[in-house]
Amino acid sequence: MSPRIVGYSLHMLPSHFRKALETYLKNGALQKVGEIEWITIKTRGNDSPVHKSQTNPEDKEDVISVRIQPKDGSRACTHHVYANGTGTMNIGDKREYSTIAERRE
């Protein structure tokens, strides 16, 4: 069963980020936090959630921020999801768990 998505509508995301989020939820997020209860697609007001990282100004790629609540009741945390389906939880994390061949070290 897919996690419940709240906040910004999944269907309003640009198609490449919608696919990237679906990939990340099935791969990276699942590997990092286990089963997922819900996610919030974060945005500032009604603006698009696609942005540059404010927590890591050295990262120049577009991301979306999602808050992920694990089913096990542990603390929800924010992940950055990249257009290629990889993602990070913390500054310095390796972008990983994409189902496509390109990976960043």
Side-chain angles (χ1 to χ4, degrees):
M1 187 165 122
S2 297
R4 185 170 39 109
I5 299 175
V6 297
Y8 194 85
S9 171
L10 177 66
H11 301 292
M12 291 179 63
L13 282 176
S15 62
H16 64 289
F17 268 103
R18 185 171 47 245
K19 183 172 172 56
L21 179 58
E22 290 168 352
T23 297
Y24 183 68
L25 291 175
K26 291 177 186 172
N27 296 286
L30 194 61
Q31 294 293 325
K32 291 174 189 283
V33 303
E35 288 190 68
I36 300 167
E37 176 102 16
W38 53 261
I39 71 160
T40 301
I41 300 172
K42 297 173 73 173
T43 186
R44 293 164 186 85
N46 290 328
D47 295 335
S48 170
V50 178
H51 65 282
K52 305 284 188 225
S53 174
Q54 292 182 337
T55 56
N56 186 4
E58 293 179 15
D59 190 346
K60 302 300 180 198
E61 290 193 48
D62 285 338
V63 296
I64 59 172
S65 296
V66 295
R67 188 130 181 104
I68 297 178
Q69 174 62 58
K71 271 192 178 178
D72 69 6
S74 59
R75 183 177 66 88
C77 60
T78 299
H79 298 238
H80 277 163
V81 179
Y82 294 83
N84 68 356
T86 60
T88 60
M89 280 178 48
N90 300 300
I91 294 174
D93 276 0
K94 179 179 176 183
R95 296 180 203 170
E96 56 189 349
Y97 302 117
S98 175
T99 58
I100 60 176
E102 180 185 334
R103 287 190 175 206
R104 303 222 175 216
E105 298 297 323

XYZ file of all heavy atoms in Angstrom:
834
model
N 0.840 -1.186 0.000
C 0.000 0.000 0.000
C 0.878 1.240 0.000
O 1.858 1.320 0.717
C -0.906 -0.011 1.231
C -1.922 1.085 1.221
S -3.206 0.745 2.433
C -3.079 2.190 3.422
N 0.531 2.225 -0.818
C 1.301 3.458 -0.919
C 1.063 4.341 0.290
O -0.029 4.342 0.864
C 0.900 4.227 -2.179
O 1.212 3.479 -3.320
N 2.069 5.131 0.662
C 1.867 6.046 1.785
C 0.891 7.158 1.413
O 0.746 7.519 0.246
C 3.265 6.605 2.046
C 4.016 6.405 0.787
C 3.415 5.204 0.125
N 0.219 7.675 2.417
C -0.689 8.806 2.228
C 0.156 10.047 1.944
O 1.172 10.274 2.594
C -1.512 8.986 3.495
C -2.580 10.027 3.442
C -3.468 9.935 4.670
N -2.743 9.641 5.885
C -2.539 10.512 6.873
N -3.039 11.712 6.798
N -1.873 10.162 7.948
N -0.244 10.843 0.948
C 0.483 12.059 0.591
C -0.367 13.253 0.962
O -1.523 13.352 0.565
C 0.832 12.074 -0.907
C 1.737 10.880 -1.235
C 1.493 13.394 -1.291
C 2.061 10.715 -2.691
N 0.209 14.143 1.761
C -0.495 15.360 2.182
C 0.330 16.571 1.758
O 1.460 16.446 1.325
C -0.757 15.363 3.712
C -1.659 14.215 4.107
C 0.526 15.296 4.494
N -0.253 17.747 1.916
C 0.442 18.961 1.490
C 0.180 19.213 0.023
O -0.914 18.973 -0.482
N 1.183 19.633 -0.686
C 1.103 19.925 -2.112
C 0.662 18.673 -2.866
O 1.108 17.562 -2.558
C 2.476 20.382 -2.593
C 2.496 21.040 -3.943
C 2.232 22.395 -4.073
C 2.804 20.312 -5.075
C 2.276 23.008 -5.318
C 2.844 20.911 -6.318
C 2.582 22.258 -6.431
O 2.634 22.852 -7.661
N -0.181 18.820 -3.851
C -0.713 17.678 -4.590
C 0.356 17.017 -5.459
O 1.060 17.694 -6.214
C -1.868 18.128 -5.484
O -2.259 17.079 -6.344
N 0.457 15.708 -5.362
C 1.376 14.943 -6.192
C 1.112 15.229 -7.672
O 2.037 15.346 -8.473
C 1.216 13.442 -5.900
C 2.056 12.485 -6.724
C 3.539 12.670 -6.416
C 1.633 11.056 -6.460
N -0.131 15.387 -8.038
C -0.507 15.581 -9.442
C -0.155 16.967 -9.966
O -0.150 17.173 -11.174
C -1.992 15.279 -9.631
C -2.322 13.878 -9.228
N -1.886 12.774 -9.919
C -2.991 13.396 -8.162
C -2.290 11.687 -9.315
N -2.970 12.032 -8.240
N 0.165 17.893 -9.069
C 0.565 19.233 -9.502
C 2.084 19.352 -9.679
O 2.561 20.339 -10.221
C 0.056 20.279 -8.510
C -1.455 20.420 -8.545
S -2.093 21.627 -7.380
C -1.372 23.135 -7.978
N 2.831 18.336 -9.243
C 4.277 18.356 -9.450
C 4.588 18.241 -10.938
O 3.861 17.566 -11.675
C 4.936 17.164 -8.755
C 5.143 17.213 -7.263
C 5.718 15.877 -6.787
C 6.054 18.351 -6.864
N 5.684 18.868 -11.394
C 6.123 18.607 -12.774
C 6.323 17.098 -12.941
O 6.751 16.412 -12.005
C 7.455 19.350 -12.864
C 7.397 20.399 -11.791
C 6.554 19.805 -10.688
N 6.004 16.571 -14.105
C 5.988 15.118 -14.301
C 7.320 14.455 -13.948
O 7.331 13.360 -13.378
C 5.574 14.758 -15.721
O 6.499 15.282 -16.652
N 8.454 15.103 -14.243
C 9.738 14.469 -13.929
C 9.958 14.391 -12.418
O 10.576 13.441 -11.931
C 10.907 15.162 -14.647
C 11.147 16.574 -14.259
N 10.303 17.601 -14.604
C 12.143 17.129 -13.546
C 10.765 18.737 -14.124
N 11.887 18.483 -13.469
N 9.443 15.340 -11.645
C 9.560 15.250 -10.193
C 8.532 14.294 -9.593
O 8.788 13.655 -8.580
C 9.471 16.628 -9.529
C 10.826 17.256 -9.350
C 11.254 18.255 -10.191
C 11.688 16.811 -8.360
C 12.506 18.813 -10.045
C 12.940 17.363 -8.195
C 13.360 18.366 -9.046
N 7.382 14.155 -10.221
C 6.391 13.172 -9.759
C 6.995 11.767 -9.890
O 6.964 10.975 -8.945
C 5.105 13.300 -10.570
C 3.986 12.411 -10.078
C 2.649 12.710 -10.747
N 2.706 12.850 -12.181
C 2.445 13.967 -12.864
N 2.093 15.070 -12.235
N 2.505 14.004 -14.168
N 7.599 11.495 -11.035
C 8.243 10.192 -11.255
C 9.430 10.019 -10.308
O 9.621 8.944 -9.735
C 8.701 10.074 -12.707
C 9.318 8.745 -13.054
C 9.553 8.652 -14.545
C 10.338 7.452 -14.967
N 9.858 6.179 -14.584
N 10.203 11.074 -10.094
C 11.354 11.005 -9.185
C 10.903 10.687 -7.759
O 11.513 9.858 -7.076
C 12.122 12.318 -9.214
N 9.829 11.319 -7.307
C 9.325 11.073 -5.958
C 8.829 9.639 -5.827
O 9.123 8.958 -4.841
C 8.217 12.066 -5.601
C 7.596 11.879 -4.211
C 8.654 11.972 -3.115
C 6.495 12.905 -3.989
N 8.101 9.157 -6.807
C 7.619 7.777 -6.769
C 8.803 6.807 -6.705
O 8.786 5.848 -5.933
C 6.733 7.502 -7.985
C 5.402 8.245 -7.913
C 4.618 8.234 -9.215
O 5.150 7.775 -10.262
O 3.459 8.701 -9.196
N 9.848 7.066 -7.487
C 11.050 6.232 -7.473
C 11.718 6.282 -6.104
O 12.069 5.249 -5.535
C 12.047 6.697 -8.558
O 11.440 6.527 -9.838
C 13.347 5.907 -8.510
N 11.886 7.472 -5.563
C 12.556 7.613 -4.275
C 11.765 6.931 -3.151
O 12.348 6.280 -2.290
C 12.782 9.083 -3.943
C 13.541 9.273 -2.652
C 14.871 8.896 -2.553
C 12.920 9.798 -1.533
C 15.574 9.040 -1.367
C 13.610 9.952 -0.342
C 14.936 9.578 -0.264
O 15.628 9.710 0.919
N 10.457 7.069 -3.155
C 9.649 6.448 -2.100
C 9.743 4.927 -2.136
O 9.717 4.278 -1.093
C 8.189 6.891 -2.208
C 7.912 8.344 -1.865
C 6.454 8.680 -2.124
C 8.307 8.657 -0.432
N 9.868 4.347 -3.321
C 9.950 2.888 -3.447
C 11.356 2.371 -3.185
O 11.529 1.181 -2.964
C 9.516 2.460 -4.849
C 8.052 2.653 -5.114
C 7.717 2.281 -6.541
C 6.267 2.604 -6.850
N 5.958 2.439 -8.269
N 12.347 3.238 -3.245
C 13.725 2.800 -3.143
C 14.449 3.474 -1.983
O 14.580 2.895 -0.918
C 14.459 3.069 -4.463
C 13.877 2.257 -5.593
O 14.079 1.074 -5.675
N 13.119 2.907 -6.458
N 14.904 4.701 -2.191
C 15.721 5.384 -1.192
C 15.064 5.568 0.150
O 15.619 5.204 1.189
N 13.878 6.103 0.170
C 13.193 6.353 1.448
C 12.918 5.045 2.171
O 13.102 4.949 3.383
C 11.903 7.130 1.221
N 12.501 4.057 1.461
C 12.220 2.753 2.060
C 13.484 2.174 2.688
O 13.447 1.621 3.784
C 11.651 1.811 1.001
C 10.999 0.539 1.495
C 9.796 0.852 2.387
C 10.556 -0.320 0.324
N 14.620 2.327 2.008
C 15.893 1.848 2.541
C 16.333 2.660 3.758
O 16.920 2.130 4.688
C 16.988 1.923 1.468
C 16.774 0.987 0.314
C 16.895 -0.470 0.731
O 17.690 -0.819 1.589
N 16.097 -1.324 0.126
N 16.058 3.961 3.754
C 16.519 4.832 4.828
C 15.649 4.770 6.083
O 16.153 4.834 7.189
C 16.600 6.282 4.335
C 17.701 6.525 3.318
C 17.620 7.942 2.767
C 18.541 8.169 1.621
N 19.930 8.354 1.949
N 14.322 4.670 5.917
C 13.430 4.761 7.086
C 12.496 3.568 7.258
O 11.774 3.497 8.245
C 12.587 6.057 7.066
C 13.461 7.285 7.000
C 11.571 6.058 5.932
N 12.459 2.650 6.314
C 11.524 1.532 6.403
C 10.156 1.913 5.839
O 10.041 2.859 5.064
N 9.142 1.183 6.237
C 7.794 1.465 5.730
C 7.356 2.874 6.109
O 7.679 3.363 7.188
C 6.791 0.458 6.271
C 6.934 -0.909 5.654
C 5.774 -1.799 6.040
O 4.641 -1.529 5.598
O 6.034 -2.744 6.810
N 6.599 3.495 5.213
C 6.225 4.899 5.364
C 4.734 5.028 5.643
O 3.905 4.457 4.929
C 6.592 5.687 4.088
C 8.107 5.584 3.849
C 6.147 7.135 4.186
C 8.531 6.037 2.475
N 4.400 5.788 6.686
C 3.002 6.072 7.032
C 2.431 7.156 6.123
O 1.389 7.002 5.516
C 2.920 6.527 8.490
C 1.550 6.947 8.926
C 0.869 5.880 9.743
O 1.551 4.965 10.216
O -0.342 5.984 9.891
N 3.120 8.301 6.055
C 2.676 9.414 5.224
C 3.857 10.287 4.843
O 4.912 10.219 5.460
C 1.602 10.270 5.891
C 1.935 10.795 7.260
C 1.525 10.271 8.453
C 2.756 11.923 7.603
N 2.033 10.994 9.496
C 2.791 12.019 9.004
C 3.466 12.859 6.868
C 3.497 13.010 9.680
C 4.179 13.850 7.529
C 4.176 13.917 8.912
N 3.655 11.068 3.782
C 4.643 12.078 3.392
C 3.923 13.393 3.156
O 2.758 13.419 2.777
C 5.447 11.684 2.139
C 4.582 11.744 0.882
C 6.089 10.327 2.287
C 5.364 11.849 -0.366
N 4.634 14.466 3.406
C 4.149 15.805 3.093
C 5.072 16.396 2.050
O 6.284 16.471 2.264
C 4.155 16.718 4.335
O 3.335 16.141 5.340
C 3.651 18.109 4.006
N 4.514 16.795 0.909
C 5.288 17.516 -0.088
C 5.305 18.961 0.377
O 4.259 19.611 0.441
C 4.676 17.392 -1.495
C 4.611 15.925 -1.912
C 5.472 18.230 -2.494
C 3.852 15.658 -3.196
N 6.478 19.433 0.750
C 6.593 20.762 1.351
C 6.669 21.855 0.286
O 7.241 21.657 -0.776
C 7.829 20.817 2.240
C 7.740 19.849 3.421
C 9.014 19.773 4.192
C 9.223 21.027 5.006
N 10.388 20.922 5.902
N 6.081 22.988 0.610
C 6.129 24.155 -0.261
C 5.977 25.395 0.591
O 5.571 25.320 1.754
C 5.036 24.088 -1.351
O 5.214 25.169 -2.252
C 3.652 24.127 -0.772
N 6.309 26.500 0.022
C 6.115 27.787 0.692
C 4.886 28.442 0.068
O 4.953 28.946 -1.035
C 7.345 28.659 0.509
C 8.546 28.105 1.236
C 9.836 28.738 0.739
N 10.986 28.109 1.339
C 11.565 27.003 0.880
N 11.085 26.392 -0.177
N 12.617 26.500 1.485
N 3.762 28.346 0.750
C 2.520 28.887 0.189
C 2.035 28.010 -0.943
O 2.120 26.792 -0.882
N 1.531 28.599 -2.004
C 1.033 27.843 -3.148
C 2.060 27.730 -4.260
O 1.746 27.310 -5.355
C -0.246 28.495 -3.692
C -1.392 28.319 -2.720
O -1.466 27.322 -2.010
N -2.275 29.296 -2.670
N 3.299 28.135 -3.982
C 4.353 28.066 -4.983
C 4.737 26.621 -5.255
O 4.496 25.725 -4.451
C 5.590 28.823 -4.514
C 5.337 30.318 -4.360
O 4.422 30.830 -5.029
O 6.054 30.954 -3.573
N 5.395 26.412 -6.372
C 5.905 25.086 -6.710
C 6.907 24.643 -5.657
O 7.715 25.442 -5.178
C 6.586 25.131 -8.075
O 7.284 23.923 -8.312
N 6.895 23.380 -5.290
C 7.846 22.883 -4.303
C 9.259 22.674 -4.868
O 10.181 22.375 -4.120
C 7.233 21.560 -3.851
C 6.365 21.142 -4.961
C 5.892 22.383 -5.641
N 9.445 22.831 -6.176
C 10.765 22.665 -6.777
C 11.610 23.879 -6.417
O 11.211 25.026 -6.633
C 10.663 22.494 -8.309
C 12.042 22.365 -8.929
C 9.793 21.292 -8.659
N 12.796 23.622 -5.838
C 13.646 24.717 -5.378
C 15.094 24.260 -5.274
O 15.403 23.084 -5.458
C 13.155 25.214 -4.008
C 13.279 24.195 -2.924
N 12.384 23.142 -2.783
C 14.188 24.033 -1.941
C 12.740 22.394 -1.750
N 13.837 22.909 -1.220
N 15.983 25.198 -4.963
C 17.370 24.888 -4.634
C 17.440 24.699 -3.124
O 16.718 25.340 -2.373
C 18.304 26.035 -5.030
C 18.208 26.466 -6.474
C 18.898 25.502 -7.382
C 18.959 26.077 -8.789
N 18.607 25.143 -9.808
N 18.326 23.833 -2.684
C 18.470 23.564 -1.254
C 18.912 24.812 -0.510
O 19.869 25.472 -0.903
C 19.494 22.454 -1.031
O 19.738 22.287 0.344
N 18.206 25.146 0.564
C 18.624 26.250 1.422
C 19.512 25.746 2.553
O 20.286 26.505 3.113
C 17.410 26.976 1.991
C 16.641 27.713 0.925
C 15.465 28.484 1.492
O 14.952 28.189 2.567
N 15.024 29.483 0.746
N 19.424 24.465 2.860
C 20.270 23.909 3.922
C 21.656 23.551 3.406
O 22.582 23.421 4.197
C 19.628 22.658 4.566
O 19.371 21.698 3.547
C 18.338 23.018 5.282
N 21.800 23.393 2.105
C 23.091 23.096 1.505
C 23.287 23.985 0.273
O 23.068 23.550 -0.854
C 23.183 21.617 1.122
C 24.555 21.231 0.623
O 25.481 22.032 0.626
N 24.687 20.000 0.180
N 23.727 25.243 0.466
C 23.862 26.181 -0.644
C 24.872 25.753 -1.709
O 24.837 26.250 -2.830
C 24.300 27.486 0.021
C 24.328 27.255 1.475
C 24.038 25.827 1.745
N 25.745 24.808 -1.396
C 26.705 24.314 -2.385
C 26.036 23.425 -3.425
O 26.566 23.216 -4.504
C 27.831 23.551 -1.698
C 28.703 24.436 -0.833
C 29.801 23.662 -0.129
O 30.075 22.503 -0.515
O 30.378 24.214 0.807
N 24.874 22.887 -3.104
C 24.135 22.020 -4.013
C 23.306 22.894 -4.945
O 22.366 23.555 -4.516
C 23.242 21.082 -3.208
C 22.624 19.984 -4.063
O 22.661 20.088 -5.307
O 22.100 19.028 -3.472
N 23.629 22.890 -6.218
C 22.966 23.771 -7.188
C 21.828 23.101 -7.953
O 21.176 23.718 -8.769
C 23.992 24.324 -8.189
C 25.134 25.088 -7.530
C 24.635 26.271 -6.744
C 25.784 27.020 -6.091
N 25.376 27.886 -5.023
N 21.562 21.815 -7.680
C 20.501 21.110 -8.400
C 19.133 21.380 -7.774
O 19.029 21.614 -6.567
C 20.772 19.613 -8.406
C 21.943 19.264 -9.289
C 22.022 17.788 -9.553
O 20.981 17.186 -9.918
O 23.120 17.244 -9.397
N 18.097 21.314 -8.611
C 16.727 21.441 -8.117
C 16.350 20.218 -7.295
O 16.761 19.091 -7.598
C 15.738 21.565 -9.278
C 15.775 22.930 -9.931
O 16.228 23.897 -9.283
O 15.350 23.031 -11.089
N 15.555 20.455 -6.257
C 15.063 19.395 -5.385
C 13.620 19.695 -5.015
O 13.138 20.810 -5.203
C 15.889 19.277 -4.076
C 17.314 18.888 -4.354
C 15.812 20.544 -3.246
N 12.949 18.689 -4.479
C 11.714 18.918 -3.742
C 11.979 18.398 -2.333
O 12.760 17.464 -2.140
C 10.474 18.249 -4.373
C 10.640 16.744 -4.495
C 10.127 18.893 -5.701
C 9.375 16.012 -4.937
N 11.370 19.033 -1.355
C 11.507 18.604 0.033
C 10.236 17.883 0.442
O 9.135 18.383 0.198
C 11.725 19.811 0.952
O 12.940 20.450 0.640
N 10.414 16.717 1.046
C 9.276 15.946 1.536
C 9.549 15.534 2.974
O 10.658 15.160 3.321
C 8.974 14.702 0.661
C 8.528 15.113 -0.724
C 10.157 13.767 0.568
N 8.548 15.658 3.802
C 8.641 15.213 5.194
C 8.070 13.808 5.241
O 6.928 13.579 4.828
C 7.853 16.150 6.092
C 8.050 15.884 7.544
C 8.377 17.187 8.251
N 8.588 16.968 9.662
C 9.796 16.948 10.217
N 10.850 17.153 9.482
N 9.929 16.753 11.503
N 8.845 12.864 5.732
C 8.459 11.457 5.714
C 8.277 10.946 7.135
O 9.169 11.067 7.968
C 9.508 10.611 4.969
C 9.562 11.066 3.504
C 9.189 9.132 5.090
C 10.594 10.336 2.664
N 7.083 10.399 7.393
C 6.767 9.802 8.695
C 6.834 8.286 8.561
O 6.009 7.678 7.884
C 5.378 10.208 9.164
C 4.934 9.518 10.443
C 5.845 9.847 11.626
O 6.016 11.003 11.963
N 6.431 8.826 12.235
N 7.817 7.652 9.212
C 7.891 6.193 9.172
C 6.726 5.550 9.928
O 6.214 6.113 10.894
C 9.216 5.882 9.886
C 9.998 7.154 9.829
C 8.975 8.244 9.872
N 6.329 4.355 9.491
C 5.239 3.620 10.145
C 5.610 3.177 11.549
O 4.742 2.954 12.374
C 4.842 2.400 9.319
C 3.795 2.680 8.299
C 3.237 1.400 7.722
C 2.139 1.754 6.741
N 1.586 0.580 6.101
N 6.900 3.031 11.833
C 7.306 2.531 13.146
C 7.181 3.573 14.255
O 7.503 3.308 15.401
C 8.729 1.965 13.104
C 9.805 3.021 12.897
O 9.511 4.244 12.893
O 10.980 2.620 12.742
N 6.707 4.772 13.913
C 6.496 5.811 14.915
C 7.713 6.664 15.219
O 7.628 7.600 16.004
N 8.855 6.352 14.602
C 10.027 7.195 14.830
C 9.788 8.583 14.227
O 8.835 8.797 13.478
C 11.295 6.547 14.286
O 11.190 6.305 12.908
N 10.633 9.503 14.573
C 10.471 10.908 14.208
C 10.464 11.118 12.693
O 11.281 10.570 11.972
C 11.620 11.707 14.832
C 11.555 13.191 14.614
C 12.684 13.910 15.325
N 13.999 13.600 14.805
C 14.584 14.244 13.805
N 13.974 15.235 13.204
N 15.785 13.888 13.406
N 9.522 11.930 12.223
C 9.479 12.310 10.812
C 10.659 13.226 10.517
O 11.086 13.999 11.380
C 8.167 13.031 10.499
N 11.204 13.123 9.314
C 12.279 14.030 8.933
C 12.139 14.388 7.461
O 11.429 13.737 6.701
C 13.647 13.442 9.251
S 14.008 11.914 8.424
N 12.815 15.464 7.086
C 12.730 15.985 5.730
C 13.806 15.355 4.857
O 14.956 15.221 5.276
C 12.871 17.516 5.736
O 11.781 18.062 6.508
C 12.827 18.095 4.335
N 13.416 14.989 3.655
C 14.320 14.444 2.647
C 14.309 15.384 1.444
O 13.282 15.978 1.138
C 13.832 13.074 2.167
C 13.782 12.032 3.228
N 14.469 10.847 3.139
C 13.112 11.975 4.411
C 14.244 10.107 4.202
N 13.406 10.771 4.990
N 15.441 15.500 0.766
C 15.502 16.197 -0.511
C 15.486 15.136 -1.599
O 16.270 14.189 -1.557
C 16.779 17.023 -0.638
C 16.686 18.355 0.025
N 17.789 19.105 0.323
C 15.632 19.078 0.441
C 17.410 20.232 0.894
N 16.107 20.234 0.983
N 14.591 15.303 -2.563
C 14.469 14.363 -3.673
C 14.883 15.100 -4.947
O 14.413 16.210 -5.222
C 13.023 13.838 -3.805
C 12.909 12.887 -4.991
C 12.588 13.159 -2.512
N 15.782 14.467 -5.701
C 16.317 15.037 -6.937
C 15.552 14.506 -8.141
O 14.895 13.460 -8.064
C 17.805 14.694 -7.062
C 18.625 15.351 -5.997
C 18.749 14.781 -4.728
C 19.245 16.572 -6.228
C 19.484 15.399 -3.727
C 19.985 17.199 -5.232
C 20.093 16.610 -3.992
O 20.810 17.235 -2.999
N 15.656 15.207 -9.264
C 14.904 14.863 -10.472
C 15.234 13.477 -11.013
O 14.449 12.909 -11.765
C 15.144 15.915 -11.549
N 16.371 12.897 -10.625
C 16.725 11.566 -11.127
C 16.233 10.441 -10.214
O 16.551 9.286 -10.432
C 18.233 11.454 -11.357
C 19.048 11.497 -10.078
O 18.514 11.680 -8.980
N 20.350 11.349 -10.223
N 15.480 10.772 -9.160
C 14.917 9.753 -8.283
C 15.777 9.404 -7.086
O 15.416 8.550 -6.297
N 16.927 10.069 -6.937
C 17.755 9.861 -5.764
C 17.335 10.852 -4.696
O 16.572 11.780 -4.954
C 19.259 10.036 -6.079
O 19.490 11.360 -6.567
C 19.721 9.007 -7.101
N 17.856 10.676 -3.485
C 17.498 11.596 -2.417
C 18.457 11.524 -1.254
O 19.287 10.619 -1.158
N 18.347 12.508 -0.383
C 19.185 12.596 0.806
C 18.321 12.947 2.010
O 17.253 13.527 1.876
C 20.272 13.672 0.656
O 19.644 14.944 0.439
C 21.206 13.381 -0.501
N 18.836 12.585 3.194
C 18.184 12.980 4.453
C 18.968 14.087 5.146
O 18.395 14.909 5.830
C 18.089 11.783 5.414
C 16.965 10.842 5.120
S 16.898 9.400 6.222
C 17.065 10.067 7.848
N 20.285 14.088 4.984
C 21.147 15.039 5.685
C 22.186 15.603 4.725
O 22.533 14.948 3.730
C 21.896 14.343 6.842
C 20.955 13.747 7.853
O 20.166 14.454 8.462
N 21.026 12.435 8.033
N 22.711 16.785 5.035
C 23.790 17.347 4.239
C 24.941 16.346 4.238
O 25.300 15.790 5.268
C 24.252 18.700 4.811
C 23.133 19.738 4.679
C 25.507 19.201 4.096
C 23.437 21.050 5.341
N 25.492 16.097 3.073
C 26.601 15.166 2.955
C 26.191 13.738 2.649
O 27.042 12.912 2.335
N 24.881 13.431 2.751
C 24.419 12.091 2.383
C 24.726 11.827 0.918
O 24.653 12.723 0.078
C 22.897 11.965 2.532
C 22.451 11.652 3.928
O 23.301 11.519 4.817
O 21.228 11.565 4.126
N 25.017 10.581 0.612
C 25.167 10.156 -0.765
C 23.770 10.104 -1.385
O 22.830 9.605 -0.773
C 25.812 8.774 -0.798
C 26.005 8.220 -2.179
C 26.670 6.849 -2.084
C 26.783 6.232 -3.459
N 27.347 4.890 -3.385
N 23.650 10.644 -2.578
C 22.379 10.521 -3.308
C 22.315 9.096 -3.820
O 23.140 8.685 -4.620
C 22.337 11.486 -4.481
C 22.372 12.913 -4.062
C 22.332 13.789 -5.275
N 22.886 15.072 -4.953
C 23.161 15.998 -5.841
N 22.936 15.769 -7.116
N 23.663 17.144 -5.464
N 21.327 8.357 -3.339
C 21.320 6.941 -3.670
C 19.934 6.370 -3.826
O 18.945 7.051 -3.630
C 22.091 6.157 -2.615
C 21.575 6.375 -1.213
C 22.496 5.748 -0.166
O 23.406 4.990 -0.522
O 22.274 6.022 1.016
N 19.938 5.104 -4.185
C 18.739 4.298 -4.325
C 17.869 4.699 -5.504
O 16.670 4.578 -5.480
C 17.906 4.274 -3.042
C 18.687 3.760 -1.872
C 18.918 4.586 -0.792
C 19.194 2.482 -1.855
C 19.643 4.136 0.289
C 19.913 2.026 -0.774
C 20.131 2.851 0.294
O 20.840 2.406 1.367
N 18.509 5.174 -6.551
C 17.788 5.428 -7.778
C 17.691 4.129 -8.559
O 18.568 3.271 -8.459
C 18.528 6.475 -8.608
O 17.897 6.643 -9.846
N 16.655 3.991 -9.347
C 16.558 2.800 -10.202
C 17.169 3.061 -11.564
O 17.138 2.217 -12.434
C 15.093 2.372 -10.387
O 14.363 3.457 -10.951
C 14.478 1.948 -9.082
N 17.737 4.251 -11.780
C 18.420 4.527 -13.040
C 19.923 4.388 -12.805
O 20.391 4.378 -11.686
C 18.056 5.916 -13.599
C 18.448 7.033 -12.629
C 16.579 5.996 -13.936
C 18.211 8.419 -13.174
N 20.684 4.299 -13.876
C 22.113 4.001 -13.771
C 22.941 5.144 -13.196
O 23.944 4.914 -12.529
C 22.649 3.603 -15.132
N 22.555 6.380 -13.436
C 23.367 7.507 -12.989
C 23.329 7.663 -11.476
O 22.277 7.723 -10.876
C 22.857 8.802 -13.629
C 23.651 10.025 -13.212
C 23.057 11.298 -13.763
O 22.379 11.246 -14.797
O 23.296 12.347 -13.154
N 24.489 7.707 -10.874
C 24.602 7.927 -9.432
C 25.646 8.976 -9.188
O 26.603 9.093 -9.914
C 25.000 6.656 -8.692
C 23.880 5.676 -8.627
C 24.241 4.580 -7.701
N 23.058 3.731 -7.584
C 22.820 3.004 -6.551
N 23.623 2.978 -5.548
N 21.744 2.268 -6.503
N 25.475 9.726 -8.144
C 26.453 10.741 -7.753
C 27.197 10.240 -6.546
O 26.627 9.669 -5.642
C 25.742 12.031 -7.413
C 24.915 12.522 -8.554
C 25.077 13.955 -8.679
N 24.366 14.358 -9.863
C 24.774 15.301 -10.641
N 25.846 15.953 -10.360
N 24.097 15.625 -11.705
N 28.479 10.484 -6.511
C 29.301 10.100 -5.352
C 29.455 11.277 -4.430
O 29.431 12.391 -4.751
C 30.679 9.616 -5.804
C 30.572 8.360 -6.677
C 29.983 7.172 -5.940
O 30.249 6.978 -4.744
O 29.221 6.428 -6.573
